Amino acid sequence: MMAGDAEVQVVKRGETCIQVRLRRSHVGLTVEVKTHPTVEAFVRGLGDETVVDVRGSGRYWVPLETFDDTTGKKLADAKPLYIYNGGSLPHLDKGEELIVLNRPGRPILLNDDPEVGGHGINLSFLRLVGTSEGTGVRFGIKGVYTIEQIRNIAERIKNASRQFYISFLKPVDIAVFVSTQELSV
Amino acid sequence: MSRPSDGLEKFLELPKLEGVRQRVYRVGLELEGAWLKLPRGTNVQHDGSVRINSEDVLACGVDPNTLTSSSFHPGEIASPPLEVKTFPTWLQTYYPQVTNRTCGFHVHMSFRTGFLYQKLMSPSYPATVVEYMRRWAERERFASSHAIWPRLRGENEYCQHKFFAEAQIGVTRKDYDRSRPGHRYTVIAYPYAQHSTIECRLLPMFGDAGQATRAVAELLNITNGFLLASARREARVSAEVKADDDCIMEEIRVRV
């Protein structure tokens, strides 16, 4: 339940909650993010409902032009990337993988980030504005990767996204039973 | 190492390649040796792996009566990033007069896009370089004692036949450990964070600038050919999370 929402949205069984697609490209890595409206509403609600240009947070994310997949014709110029501002998004430390949500504009692997402790997967792209609209958000991350790294990153994103869903979005129904017991004198 | 790419021959024929866009953007060269005469304004950098002595210098025809410790300057000279068409002239100007088996010849290549760099981050690329440079060496008819052969066989610790791309791309400073996993002493190294280049460490210093020029030209041809042979749109890799159950149900029972 999202406080203040006029309509409660729940991700129903079988619905895609988060989808991320990766491909090596001229900028390094092209990332396509599509989320359920519940996810974007959750992230938006954590902050002050304002948006900021991601360039203020880091220099690794770049906006991309849109091209027609069939004809290769350019459909739209690159637009700035905006993220939902503020809010407290805790790091999730689930077992060995540190899932980071507070590093927009930074690399997808945070191996050299001392504040993160040297290892972690960056899911901060979930804070991008528009991930639940149309085809989602498509952007680039600077860097170079082997094919094996891309496959490994995709697997880690899948596991981390699932933890994010379970930790923050999956409805929890808790029944509390309080019973008394007889006191013996 | 991995298998080399096959069928590059059609991409390596120079007349055909001249009509093909060169995918290497800039070239950087590192020459090791000793200079009897330095081009004006040039400083030789110290390199601990270069070990040249008076015998090497005398073998180049220097008059022993005039030989002193200051007669030659051992070390390394590195070029700035060069356009592909200008590297032969630079080599002709700066090539050292004295070399021996301890001297390596490192070639850095940069590319216009990260995509081309990534296409070369495959074990088959260094394997292809080794295979096709071996064929080039056979055409050049190097003597069996030439320094290039141990390098091609993987017997030189400064250009090991290993692939450490993932570890090398993030390294921001040089280290000199040749045995730890991820070290930089591989046939093809990937110092992306330092230089945004791919470095070929396979080649030794050659007898003259002309032969060095042919070696670099062949390396560029092999690289260009590899990129042409492997040019294809890459598939997307997907990560998807679906909601499985509607709700987590828990019961908490408290007795008071």
Side-chain angles (χ1 to χ4, degrees):
Chain A
M1 296 281 290
M2 300 293 294
D5 280 349
E7 179 183 329
V8 174
Q9 292 199 50
V10 174
V11 189
K12 294 188 173 55
R13 179 186 296 184
E15 281 189 311
T16 296
C17 177
I18 297 168
Q19 183 187 64
V20 180
R21 293 200 280 188
L22 310 172
R23 183 165 56 84
R24 296 193 304 183
S25 65
H26 66 288
V27 299
L29 191 63
T30 293
V31 182
E32 298 169 11
V33 186
K34 179 77 172 80
T35 67
H36 191 276
T38 306
V39 176
E40 185 165 1
F42 170 78
V43 174
R44 182 176 63 239
L46 282 174
D48 56 13
E49 306 255 343
T50 60
V51 299
V52 293
D53 193 318
V54 76
R55 284 176 296 182
S57 302
R59 57 181 179 83
Y60 285 86
W61 296 8
V62 292
L64 296 176
E65 297 165 327
T66 307
F67 291 89
D68 183 287
D69 275 345
T70 309
T71 64
K73 185 181 170 187
K74 187 166 99 171
L75 298 175
D77 290 328
K79 295 176 187 172
L81 297 168
Y82 294 103
I83 53 169
Y84 292 110
N85 188 34
S88 176
L89 282 168
H91 290 334
L92 287 177
D93 192 349
K94 296 292 181 184
E96 295 177 1
E97 182 82 271
L98 187 64
I99 303 163
V100 176
L101 301 160
N102 284 345
R103 289 287 187 276
R106 304 298 300 279
I108 204 150
L109 295 177
L110 297 169
N111 299 334
D112 298 319
D113 190 327
E115 290 186 42
V116 170
H119 69 93
I121 189 82
N122 190 359
L123 290 195
S124 303
F125 49 75
L126 295 176
R127 293 172 60 181
L128 283 165
V129 175
T131 58
S132 65
E133 298 166 16
T135 55
V137 176
R138 181 171 159 273
F139 69 104
I141 299 182
K142 293 179 187 176
V144 291
Y145 306 88
T146 64
I147 287 280
E148 288 70 31
Q149 274 182 308
I150 297 300
R151 293 185 187 127
N152 177 263
I153 288 170
E155 189 64 27
R156 288 169 69 180
I157 287 176
K158 186 174 110 179
N159 294 334
S161 298
R162 176 149 188 77
Q163 285 301 328
F164 172 83
Y165 165 71
I166 292 172
S167 297
F168 294 118
L169 296 172
K170 190 166 183 176
V172 177
D173 190 345
I174 301 178
V176 181
F177 299 88
V178 181
S179 58
T180 57
Q181 60 184 11
E182 216 174 289
L183 290 175
S184 57
V185 175
Chain B
M1 265 201 314
S2 180
R3 283 188 55 194
S5 281
D6 293 323
L8 255 65
E9 285 78 11
K10 61 180 176 179
F11 298 110
L12 298 180
E13 293 170 32
L14 276 175
K16 281 188 183 175
L17 259 187
E18 283 171 1
V20 172
R21 183 170 58 90
Q22 173 61 256
R23 281 157 173 76
V24 178
Y25 177 57
R26 292 286 186 267
V27 173
L29 305 172
E30 296 173 3
L31 302 174
E32 294 178 357
W35 285 260
L36 303 173
K37 193 175 172 186
L38 281 169
R40 180 180 288 187
T42 306
N43 290 318
V44 179
Q45 303 298 317
H46 170 73
D47 187 321
S49 68
V50 176
R51 293 181 288 277
I52 288 185
N53 55 35
S54 344
E55 288 175 6
D56 298 314
V57 179
L58 289 170
C60 293
V62 172
D63 181 352
N65 295 320
T66 62
L67 179 64
T68 66
S69 61
S70 59
S71 297
F72 58 100
H73 309 273
E76 174 185 296
I77 289 179
S79 77
L82 302 166
E83 289 186 36
V84 171
K85 61 184 179 185
T86 64
F87 82 81
T89 305
W90 188 90
L91 272 177
Q92 201 65 40
T93 305
Y94 291 92
Y95 211 75
Q97 292 82 37
V98 185
T99 62
N100 66 16
R101 299 177 73 84
T102 67
C103 301
F105 178 29
H106 302 159
V107 182
H108 286 255
M109 296 172 281
S110 68
F111 304 86
R112 286 185 185 275
T113 72
F115 186 63
L116 291 176
Y117 192 107
Q118 291 178 105
K119 293 294 278 185
L120 298 172
M121 289 175 67
S122 164
S124 63
Y125 172 61
T128 300
V129 169
V130 168
E131 171 58 23
Y132 284 87
M133 287 308 297
R134 182 186 62 75
R135 299 183 192 184
W136 173 82
E138 286 172 353
R139 293 198 299 273
E140 290 281 318
R141 298 178 184 274
F142 288 111
S144 58
S145 58
H146 196 278
I148 197 169
W149 299 115
R151 288 170 175 266
L152 288 167
R153 288 193 298 263
E155 296 168 4
N156 186 300
E157 62 177 340
Y158 290 92
C159 57
Q160 299 174 31
H161 290 206
K162 291 178 180 170
F163 179 75
F164 290 147
E166 292 179 15
Q168 291 168 340
I169 53 175
V171 175
T172 52
R173 65 174 72 130
K174 278 185 179 180
D175 81 277
Y176 300 91
D177 186 338
R178 295 188 291 276
S179 59
R180 68 166 180 83
H183 65 70
R184 63 188 177 97
Y185 295 94
T186 50
V187 167
I188 300 293
Y190 298 86
Y192 183 77
Q194 294 179 73
H195 308 300
S196 298
T197 61
I198 286 176
E199 179 187 19
C200 176
R201 301 177 58 89
L202 175 67
L203 305 175
M205 288 298 291
F206 295 97
D208 54 63
Q211 199 164 57
T213 297
R214 292 196 297 277
V216 175
E218 186 69 9
L219 175 64
L220 298 182
N221 279 347
I222 293 167
T223 302
N224 215 30
F226 183 91
L227 289 170
L228 284 166
S230 59
R232 62 184 71 87
R233 187 175 173 85
E234 293 197 352
R236 293 187 189 95
V237 180
S238 187
E240 191 170 335
V241 174
K242 289 183 186 290
D244 44 18
D245 297 310
D246 292 315
C247 188
I248 297 174
M249 301 195 62
E250 287 187 19
E251 283 186 359
I252 300 174
R253 293 183 179 272
V254 180
R255 296 192 79 178
V256 297

